[in-house]
């Protein structure tokens, strides 16, 4: 969900496992991750994580909040952050995550991007150009990870600019994003080298489309 090209609002929602309440205190510290349990896990990452550098960076240049709920939790919890640390939603309140309504998964909300770095904010292009870049990134993710359903839309709009179904396939998503004509002109390619432990697959256009 995007408003003002991501400068006013950038909200990412998933239906994953959620974050435990006790982990919210360190959720946006630098290098934090729940994806690695042992060294070998570095070679098998296949999830979408906002942790580590991404959220830590956002907490320094935007108003950041996380609403999350695990399957075992009786309710969701919402936390606010500044400079990688928990802060109260309002002055005088506790900075502890507050219980709230929600569903299983996580909502990361980033508002007023670069509010404290006006020179960086001025360097960005107009909101439409910035939004088009977001759409392009989400579209590419949807082609690479066709088993995940993606939606990207402007706040207040009824229709989405990207909408793919979960458990789809790459060709279906190409058809959804680039149109049926493009999808009909593609040839599937694949290859594997066991010695180098490399496997590639994809689609290339035929002579009728360039």
């Amino acid at each position: 969900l995007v408003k003002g090209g991501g400068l006013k609002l950038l909200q990412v929602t998933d239906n994953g496992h959620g974050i435990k309440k006790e982990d919210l205190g360190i959720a946006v510290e630098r290098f934090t991750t729940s994806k690695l349990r042992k060294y070998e896990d570095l070679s098998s990452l296949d999830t979408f994580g906002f942790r580590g550098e991404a959220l830590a960076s956002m907490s320094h240049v935007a108003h950041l909040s996380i609403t999350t709920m695990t399957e075992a939790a009786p309710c969701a919890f919402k936390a606010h952050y500044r400079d990688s640390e928990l802060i109260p939603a309002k002055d005088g309140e506790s900075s502890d995550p507050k219980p709230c309504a929600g569903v299983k998964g996580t909502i990361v909300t980033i508002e007023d991007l670069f509010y404290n770095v006006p020179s960086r904010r001025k360097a960005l292009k107009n909101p439409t150009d910035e939004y088009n870049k977001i759409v392009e990134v989400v579209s590419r993710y949807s082609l690479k990870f066709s088993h995940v359903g993606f939606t990207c839309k402007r706040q207040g709009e009824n229709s989405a600019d990207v909408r793919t179904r979960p458990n789809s396939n790459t060709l279906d998503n190409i058809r959804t994003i680039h149109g049926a004509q493009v999808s009909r002109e593609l040839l599937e390619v694949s290859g594997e080298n066991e010695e180098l432990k490399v496997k590639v697959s994809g689609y290339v256009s035929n002579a009728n489309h360039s």
Side-chain angles (χ1 to χ4, degrees):
L1 188 64
V2 183
K3 181 179 180 181
L7 294 177
K8 293 184 178 180
L9 172 70
L10 183 60
Q11 187 175 83
V12 179
T13 303
D14 70 32
N15 60 348
H17 298 292
I19 303 172
K20 295 179 180 179
K21 178 188 176 183
E22 53 267 31
D23 289 338
L24 285 171
I26 62 169
V28 303
E29 289 185 4
R30 292 187 67 190
F31 312 120
T32 301
T33 180
S34 61
K35 314 302 180 187
L36 302 175
R37 302 292 180 183
K38 54 185 184 298
Y39 179 80
E40 288 74 18
D41 291 342
L42 285 168
S43 61
S44 59
L45 290 175
D46 59 357
T47 57
F48 298 96
F50 270 96
R51 313 287 277 281
E53 288 298 296
L55 280 185
S57 297
M58 289 296 98
S59 73
H60 286 268
V61 295
H63 298 122
L64 170 66
S65 66
I66 296 177
T67 303
T68 187
M69 181 176 177
T70 63
E71 188 172 13
C75 64
F77 290 90
K78 185 171 185 177
H80 297 263
Y81 299 88
R82 181 188 300 128
D83 298 339
S84 297
E85 296 182 354
L86 285 169
I87 62 170
K90 298 180 180 179
D91 291 339
E93 294 184 352
S94 168
S95 61
D96 293 338
K98 299 296 189 296
C100 63
V103 296
K104 189 169 76 76
T106 302
I107 302 173
V108 176
T109 303
I110 297 167
E111 298 176 281
D112 302 320
L113 183 61
F114 298 126
Y115 73 96
N116 55 352
V117 192
S119 59
R120 183 68 180 87
R121 192 180 181 97
K122 290 179 181 178
L124 295 174
K125 297 183 178 180
N126 65 66
T128 299
D129 288 339
E130 297 299 331
Y131 178 70
N132 289 337
K133 292 178 181 178
I134 295 171
V135 170
E136 180 181 357
V137 170
V138 175
S139 297
R140 291 184 178 185
Y141 271 133
S142 71
L143 297 181
K144 173 60 178 175
F145 303 96
S146 56
H147 62 286
V148 178
F150 287 87
T151 300
C152 182
K153 59 179 290 190
R154 288 186 174 95
Q155 186 185 48
E157 296 289 335
N158 293 323
S159 60
D161 292 287
V162 177
R163 186 185 299 276
T164 61
R165 296 176 299 172
N167 300 317
S168 185
N169 61 60
T170 301
L171 196 58
D172 284 340
N173 287 354
I174 291 174
R175 186 180 298 110
T176 298
I177 294 170
H178 298 290
Q181 182 177 355
V182 171
S183 67
R184 286 195 297 266
E185 303 294 340
L186 299 178
L187 302 173
E188 186 173 7
V189 295
S190 62
E192 183 175 1
N193 187 309
E194 294 185 0
E195 182 179 353
L196 298 177
K197 296 182 179 180
V198 173
K199 180 186 292 186
V200 297
S201 62
Y203 292 88
V204 297
S205 59
N206 60 24
N208 297 325
H209 186 86
S210 60

